[in-house]
Amino acid sequence: MNRAFLYNASANLITFVLMMLMSVCLTPYIVHTLGVEAFGLIHLTQNMINYLSVITASLSAVVVRFFSVAAHKGEMEKAQRYLASYFVSSFLLSISLFLLCLFVSHQLVEWLHVPVHLAKDTQTAFILGGLLFMLNFVMSGIGAAPFYANKLYVSSIGQAIQMFLRALMIVILFTWTTPAIWHIPLAAVIGSLAAMGIGIYYFKKLIPWFSFKWRHVSLSSSLTLVRSGVWHSFEQMGILLFLQIDLLMTNLLIGAEATGQYAAILQFPLLLRTLAGTLAVVFAPTITKFYSNQDKEGLIQYAANAIKWSGLFVAFPAALLGGLAGPLMLLWLGPAFEELKWLLMIHAAYLCLTLMFLPLTYVPTVFNRLKVPAVVTLILGVSNVLFAYGLTHLLQLGLYGIASAGAMVLLIKNIVFLPFYTARITNQKRTIFYKHTLVPLAGGLFIWGICAGIQAVYNVTSWWELFCIGGLCFILYMGYLYLFAGTKRERMQLMRKVKHAVSR
């Protein structure tokens, strides 16, 4: 592992820990302050706004790739055209989409199950959420600088500051004014503006050779991005249908209160997905560089190792979440939510299996082979909606039907399709990536078994006991990593580095 990787991974993990702590603290605070129904509407409206990413993904999903490949090849003029064209295109498109959000906000209450007393606040929250989405859309171009320079910890700094300001503003608004749903997206907008300022500063610092000039704005460059990214839009449509359709279906099929309960449950699976995503993106710059240098053998080996290390990072929190789901729900949100622990276990189990494959998603991107993943993802997304409707409405499984449908679809996509397709486009054996999953899976089962065994003989009733169990599991998992995660040579190198650090 080189220094850049360690910096990026460490920064992303620290950001994830901060995100987790803030989510753990803010979720019960918001639920008890605004109520379960209001909490569900906050996340439901933001999910609905995220559906606009079907349109924006055609630009934002590929601009970093095109810019980085061109810059690594020394084609600086070409790289500047891609980025300048993106900034202008994203700004114009953002204005159009924000006007669409204004129109939709007036129809929102008629489409959803929204209590009358929350109708106006929900509309305001939707408009502010639309503004937040547009800011993040434009900021995707700013993220090209740390990606190209392989200094993703810069983006992590911005995210950490954004999260801190968001949490601070929520507390201030709830304390100094009458708490309302729209305070949550307003706080997020304020945090996003601060992150944008930091991003612009480092953007100029990391790629000083870039300067925005109107002569670099090119319709042909924009069309190149759109043509390549159109399949990303189709893929994004499928992703939304099996990752961000849960709350909408819960609201339409079950009701507003169930939406709030499920939104609370989803906080931890969302954190796991965020952790896996931030880890996966750490590997992306090096994968892009291997491709730019036409080193396919190095790319395959690096991607395989990325699966193993990503899996090892994700397996521990996923297993801990599933193994301690019962006492966690009781202590976190109260007795009314304890019965939903099985939902948390379902999410923890399938995410432990599927999230380790996320680094492979960057391989079709750098090869610009996006058509097949897009079509498959869209088909699976539609299947998820049909499964969820059948299990929830026809078989009357409620929230468990929605969770089970998502689990089945994600298992098919990440465990079956993604490694097979990656092996195919790189001319490798179809099973080349699976052998790297054994150590993470065994580690996850090891930790889950310890948690289950402790609860079988001891009743966990306090946060202190929960933290002690987590600490014990962490120590045991570190021992497991030392013994099984690396080779004997890697363990010796690690010990030498530790001794050298201690001596210094």
Side-chain angles (χ1 to χ4, degrees):
M1 293 184 185
N2 57 34
R3 183 175 297 180
F5 176 87
L6 291 175
Y7 283 166
N8 293 335
S10 300
N12 281 354
L13 286 174
I14 292 172
T15 303
F16 168 76
V17 171
L18 290 174
M19 184 184 300
M20 182 182 66
L21 291 175
M22 291 181 183
S23 179
V24 168
C25 296
L26 282 177
T27 297
Y29 176 64
I30 296 172
V31 168
H32 295 313
T33 303
L34 296 178
V36 175
E37 293 178 337
F39 182 79
L41 290 171
I42 293 168
H43 291 274
L44 175 57
T45 52
Q46 190 57 56
N47 277 4
M48 292 182 67
I49 291 167
N50 288 340
Y51 299 159
L52 294 176
S53 61
V54 171
I55 301 172
T56 62
S58 61
L59 285 171
S60 61
V62 296
V63 62
V64 172
R65 183 262 183 196
F66 275 84
F67 172 81
S68 298
V69 170
H72 281 308
K73 290 182 177 180
E75 301 171 347
M76 300 307 180
E77 184 77 14
K78 188 176 182 181
Q80 292 195 82
R81 286 201 303 271
Y82 282 131
L83 206 51
S85 302
Y86 173 82
F87 283 133
V88 174
S89 301
S90 63
F91 179 75
L92 295 176
L93 185 57
S94 293
I95 295 175
S96 302
L97 292 177
F98 185 69
L99 294 176
L100 176 63
C101 288
L102 291 175
F103 171 76
V104 172
S105 65
H106 294 292
Q107 313 298 323
L108 198 64
V109 178
E110 298 178 8
W111 296 345
L112 304 175
H113 292 130
V114 180
V116 177
H117 67 283
L118 296 175
K120 191 171 182 180
D121 283 356
T122 302
Q123 291 174 326
T124 305
F126 188 84
I127 294 172
L128 287 171
L131 178 60
L132 175 65
F133 181 85
M134 304 314 153
L135 288 173
N136 291 333
F137 176 36
V138 176
M139 283 178 63
S140 296
I142 297 174
F147 187 95
Y148 160 72
N150 199 9
K151 294 185 178 181
L152 298 177
Y153 57 85
V154 170
S155 299
S156 297
I157 293 172
Q159 291 174 9
I161 293 174
Q162 180 179 2
M163 288 185 297
F164 176 77
L165 283 178
R166 174 180 175 269
L168 180 62
M169 290 307 302
I170 289 173
V171 174
I172 291 174
L173 290 170
F174 278 19
T175 303
W176 291 357
T177 64
T178 302
I181 292 176
W182 57 272
H183 287 168
I184 310 299
L186 175 61
V189 168
I190 295 172
S192 184
L193 289 172
M196 178 179 285
I198 295 171
I200 292 173
Y201 170 77
Y202 280 105
F203 179 88
K204 295 178 178 179
K205 191 172 182 180
L206 292 176
I207 49 173
W209 47 268
F210 176 86
S211 59
F212 180 85
K213 296 178 181 177
W214 283 104
R215 66 181 179 84
H216 289 144
V217 179
S218 165
L219 179 60
S220 62
S221 296
S222 298
L223 291 176
T224 300
L225 295 177
V226 171
R227 280 194 295 267
S228 179
V230 68
W231 294 113
H232 260 296
S233 292
F234 280 99
E235 184 177 24
Q236 186 66 16
M237 191 184 303
I239 290 172
L240 291 172
L241 287 175
F242 66 76
L243 288 185
Q244 297 202 23
I245 201 71
D246 294 8
L247 292 181
L248 180 60
M249 296 198 68
T250 302
N251 183 274
L252 296 176
L253 297 177
I254 305 177
E257 184 177 356
T259 304
Q261 292 176 333
Y262 200 47
I265 293 292
L266 286 178
Q267 295 306 297
F268 282 107
L270 179 61
L271 284 171
L272 281 178
R273 289 192 179 109
T274 302
L275 171 63
T278 55
L279 289 172
V281 78
V282 168
F283 299 101
T286 305
I287 289 175
T288 304
K289 197 166 185 178
F290 274 121
Y291 174 80
S292 302
N293 295 334
Q294 298 182 345
D295 185 0
K296 188 168 71 172
E297 183 178 347
L299 186 151
I300 294 299
Q301 184 61 43
Y302 187 80
N305 285 327
I307 292 175
K308 181 181 75 171
W309 289 107
S310 180
L312 287 169
F313 275 117
V314 174
F316 176 73
L320 207 62
L321 180 64
L324 297 174
L328 176 62
M329 294 306 298
L330 176 64
L331 295 170
W332 186 41
L333 294 174
F337 285 80
E338 186 181 10
E339 63 181 18
L340 299 177
K341 64 181 180 181
W342 303 107
L343 281 174
L344 206 53
M345 290 184 184
I346 291 173
H347 282 290
Y350 79 81
L351 290 177
C352 186
L353 292 169
T354 59
L355 292 180
M356 68 178 74
F357 289 98
L358 284 187
L360 292 184
T361 58
Y362 293 97
V363 179
T365 299
V366 298
F367 275 80
N368 203 18
R369 300 282 294 274
L370 303 173
K371 181 178 179 179
V372 174
V375 173
V376 170
T377 303
L378 184 57
I379 293 173
L380 290 175
V382 174
S383 301
N384 176 55
V385 175
L386 297 176
F387 287 154
Y389 179 80
L391 295 174
T392 303
H393 186 68
L394 301 180
L395 298 182
Q396 299 295 313
L397 294 181
L399 294 176
Y400 294 94
I402 293 176
S404 299
M408 287 188 293
V409 171
L410 201 59
L411 285 168
I412 294 171
K413 180 182 185 294
N414 283 16
I415 292 185
V416 179
F417 168 74
L418 186 56
F420 277 15
Y421 184 70
T422 305
R424 179 184 174 185
I425 64 176
T426 55
N427 299 317
Q428 304 295 316
K429 292 182 179 179
R430 289 188 298 175
T431 58
I432 187 172
F433 297 110
Y434 288 108
K435 63 182 180 180
H436 297 275
T437 66
L438 298 178
V439 175
L441 289 178
L445 290 173
F446 173 58
I447 296 301
W448 198 314
I450 291 173
C451 294
I454 291 175
Q455 290 179 80
V457 298
Y458 186 79
N459 187 27
V460 182
T461 58
S462 69
W463 282 107
W464 171 248
E465 293 170 341
L466 202 66
F467 290 145
C468 287
I469 295 173
L472 174 63
C473 290
F474 179 77
I475 294 172
L476 294 175
Y477 193 68
M478 289 298 102
Y480 174 83
L481 291 182
Y482 180 77
L483 293 174
F484 300 105
T487 63
K488 182 178 179 180
R489 179 183 176 184
E490 289 172 337
R491 289 196 294 271
M492 293 175 64
Q493 289 177 342
L494 176 63
M495 292 304 298
R496 282 199 297 266
K497 289 181 179 178
V498 171
K499 290 179 180 177
H500 178 65
V502 172
S503 65
R504 289 184 64 183

